Amino acid sequence: MIYDHRTYTCKPGTIKKHMKLYEDFGWEPQSRHLGQPVVYGATETGDVNSYVHIWIYKDATDRAAKRAAMAADPDWQVFLKKSAEAGNLVSQVNKILVPASFFEPPTQPE
């Protein structure tokens, strides 16, 4: 099992607009392909212009297949176009995490 931990940073003052854009156009196609994230939230303290989401996959092959299907989805392409036009994002940091040997994840991927 792997976790795809993603942190996105928005231009100051645009995070609420970006989250609304995602809610309206990105959430449905992304969750349709990737399932429900473990976490999806805006940063409350620290870099308040950022948000984090964490997706769980069986393995790298499962991740690649799901992300390829999402990338090919016309609805996801609409969101990407609208996001690029809005220009709210300034950075993205992705990390692939594996659970520690003693950790029992609360949910298993489908």
Side-chain angles (χ1 to χ4, degrees):
M1 175 178 308
I2 61 172
Y3 294 93
D4 185 354
H5 178 283
R6 295 170 168 255
T7 303
Y8 293 83
T9 303
C10 295
K11 291 178 185 173
T14 66
I15 192 165
K16 288 183 181 180
K17 292 178 196 175
H18 183 75
M19 295 295 271
K20 180 64 175 154
L21 180 72
Y22 175 77
E23 179 182 1
D24 292 346
F25 297 98
W27 171 252
E28 197 282 324
Q30 188 169 42
S31 60
R32 180 171 62 232
H33 293 284
L34 305 185
Q36 294 296 305
V38 176
V39 172
Y40 204 117
T43 303
E44 180 68 22
T45 60
D47 184 356
V48 295
N49 297 304
S50 66
Y51 63 99
V52 171
H53 43 103
I54 303 173
W55 304 86
I56 190 170
Y57 301 97
K58 292 176 189 172
D59 53 33
T61 301
D62 179 44
R63 178 182 177 273
K66 287 178 177 177
R67 293 195 59 80
M70 181 180 70
D73 187 322
D75 293 338
W76 182 246
Q77 292 300 317
V78 167
F79 167 69
L80 293 179
K81 183 176 187 292
K82 290 182 176 293
S83 178
E85 289 169 352
N88 298 326
L89 295 177
V90 294
S91 70
Q92 172 183 345
V93 177
N94 298 358
K95 299 175 185 175
I96 300 297
L97 307 171
V98 295
S101 62
F102 55 83
F103 177 69
E104 183 65 33
T107 58
Q108 300 294 319
E110 295 178 14

